[in-house]
Amino acid sequence: MSAFMRSAITGVGSYLPETIVSNADLARIVDTSDEWIVERTGIRQRHRARDDQPTSDLAVEAALAALKDAGRDVGDVDLIIVATTTPDLTFPATAAIVQKKLGVPVCAAFDVQAVCSGFVYALSVADGFVARGQARCALVIGAEEMTRLMDWSDRTTCVLFGDGAGAVVLEPVEGRNTPADTGILGFALRSDGRKSDLLYVDGGVATDGRVGHLRMQGNQVFRHAVINIAEAIEAAAAAAGITIAEVDWFVPHQANQRIIKGVGERLGLDENKVISTVSHHANTSAASIPLALDTAIRDGRIRRGDLVLFEAMGGGLTWGACAVRL
Ligand code: ACO
C-alpha cells in the first residue's frame, strides 16, 4: 500500500517593519482617540513600512526566518506562494520578486489574492502541491502593506490596519490518514461575492487605473464575521476528523478583538486557547495569521504536536479555516 502523504509546517517566521504608529499618533491626524480605538477594536499600535520598503522586502525577511526555523536553504525551495492584496507591482507576482530577492532557483511562484483570508487560501493551494508530490519545500507567505491603501482622512478605516509579513515552510510527511497525523488535516474555504461592496478598494487597473483606498461598512462586516466564521471553523474541524474541544490553539485572523471574542463565545472556546496579537499588530490582512502563529511559537505557547486551528475573514467577502497538527 502506498504511503499517505500530508504537508507539514516545518518552519515559521515573521517580520514587522521598525516604525510603530500608536493610536495617539493617529489622533493627531484624524478625529479619534486611543480610548475609542482600544475599546472598539483592542488595537493599541500598528507597524508601518518605510516608503522604500515594498511588500516583497517584508516577505523576504519572514521567508528567511521560516527557512532558518525549518533548517532549510533557499536552494531547497521549489514553490513560493505569496498571499497579498498589496503587491509591489501589478505584475509580476510578488512571489516572483521574492524568488529573485531570495535567490531561489527556477520553481513555481505565484500570488494568491483573497484579502485577509489569503493565508488560509494559499495554504490550501500549497497543501495540494506538497501532498500530491509536486513540491517538497514550499514557502507560503502572507505579506501586506495595508497602510498603502488607507484614506488617511477616514477615521473609520485608517486606525484598523498595519503592515507585516509571516511565512511558513511546508514539507511532505508520511501520515496514516488519521487525525493524529502531523500536518494539515482539513480546510473549509468560502466566498460570497454578493457581499463584495461591504469591503473593497475603490480603484484598480481595469477600472480607473488608480491604486484606490480601502472602503468598508465596518458594522456589517463585523456581523458577517462573527456569524459565518464559526460555521467554517466547524466545517474545517469536521473535514479534519477532529472536534473543536480537541483543538489546543486557535489562531484567528487579527482584525478586531471584539470579533475574536464574539467567535470564541459562539463556539464556546476557552479564551486562554485563543492567540491574540491585534493589540500590537492591528489588521495585517493575509499576514496576520502567520504573524500570530510565529509570536505564539516564539513565546513558548504553541509547541510541536499541538493541534492548531486557523480562521480568517476578509474582502470578497471571503472566509475560511484550516486545522493543522504542528
Ligand atoms: N474614532 C472615533 N470615532 C469613530 C471612529 C474612530 N476611529 N471610527 C468610527 N467612529 C464613530 C463613527 O463615526 C460612529 O459615529 P456616529 O455614531 O456619530 O455616526 C461611531 O463611531 C460608531 O461607528 P460604528 O461603525 O457603528 O462602530 P463599531 O462599533 O461598528 O466599530 C469597527 C467600528 C471597529 C470598524 C467595527 O465595525 C469593526 O471592527 N468591523 C469589522 C472590520 C473588520 O474586521 N474587517 C475585517 C476584514 S478586513 C479585510 O479583509 C481587509
Side-chain angles (χ1 to χ4, degrees):
M1 201 178 80
S2 64
F4 184 85
M5 294 311 290
R6 289 199 188 269
S7 56
I9 294 179
T10 57
V12 183
S14 65
Y15 176 77
L16 288 160
E18 270 169 37
T19 304
I20 292 175
V21 180
S22 69
N23 291 346
D25 293 332
L26 292 178
R28 276 180 225 113
I29 59 168
V30 283
D31 181 16
T32 190
S33 65
D34 177 56
E35 193 187 8
W36 191 96
I37 301 170
V38 172
E39 190 196 310
R40 301 289 180 119
T41 71
I43 297 166
R44 293 182 184 277
Q45 63 171 53
R46 69 287 294 140
H47 289 249
R48 188 171 181 180
R50 295 189 314 269
D51 287 348
D52 65 348
Q53 196 177 28
T55 297
S56 61
D57 279 7
L58 313 192
V60 162
E61 295 296 335
L64 286 171
L67 285 170
K68 188 173 177 210
D69 190 43
R72 294 287 170 209
D73 184 72
V74 290
D76 297 321
V77 174
D78 56 5
L79 171 67
I80 303 172
I81 305 180
V82 176
T84 188
T85 197
T86 51
D88 290 19
L89 302 170
T90 302
F91 80 79
T94 302
I97 299 171
V98 168
Q99 178 187 16
K100 178 171 98 175
K101 287 183 175 174
L102 284 173
V104 171
V106 171
C107 69
F110 57 93
D111 291 357
V112 163
Q113 160 56 303
V115 201
C116 299
S117 311
F119 182 74
V120 177
Y121 270 70
L123 206 53
S124 153
V125 176
D127 177 49
F129 273 77
V130 174
R132 290 175 63 88
Q134 281 184 283
R136 295 198 57 79
C137 182
L139 269 174
V140 184
I141 308 166
E144 299 276 24
E145 295 191 352
M146 295 303 282
T147 63
R148 311 268 191 212
L149 297 176
M150 294 301 112
D151 171 353
W152 294 103
S153 66
D154 176 10
R155 68 176 181 175
T156 69
T157 52
C158 76
V159 302
L160 302 175
F161 294 90
D163 303 336
V168 300
V169 175
L170 278 190
E171 297 183 65
V173 287
E174 237 174 74
R176 296 174 170 223
N177 198 10
T178 78
D181 288 352
T182 296
I184 292 178
L185 301 174
F187 284 97
L189 302 180
R190 310 274 186 263
S191 174
D192 184 353
R194 291 170 302 179
K195 299 198 172 76
S196 54
D197 57 350
L198 296 183
L199 175 55
Y200 64 99
V201 170
D202 64 0
V205 180
T207 49
D208 58 5
R210 293 181 313 122
V211 170
H213 291 125
L214 184 142
R215 306 292 176 202
M216 177 166 67
Q217 295 180 40
N219 43 18
Q220 293 202 47
V221 174
F222 191 105
R223 204 168 306 126
H224 174 91
V226 174
I227 293 169
N228 291 303
I229 289 174
E231 181 279 329
I233 290 174
E234 280 166 343
I242 58 161
T243 64
I244 301 283
E246 289 172 72
V247 174
D248 296 304
W249 296 102
F250 292 85
V251 183
H253 168 49
Q254 309 286 320
N256 183 319
Q257 188 57 37
R258 283 160 58 216
I259 296 180
I260 295 173
K261 190 162 180 279
V263 172
E265 284 170 0
R266 215 176 165 90
L267 288 168
L269 307 182
D270 173 352
E271 62 183 338
N272 296 316
K273 291 181 169 183
V274 182
I275 306 299
S276 177
T277 54
V278 70
S279 61
H280 284 68
H281 300 171
N283 184 346
T284 56
S285 186
S288 93
I289 290 176
L291 264 166
L293 176 67
D294 193 39
T295 301
I297 289 174
R298 297 300 139 228
D299 69 21
R301 280 178 291 173
I302 298 184
R303 293 156 191 243
R304 288 255 151 251
D306 283 353
L307 185 54
V308 178
L309 207 140
F310 305 136
E311 53 96 336
M313 203 277 305
L317 294 178
T318 55
W319 64 104
C322 168
V324 55
R325 193 177 300 283
L326 287 182

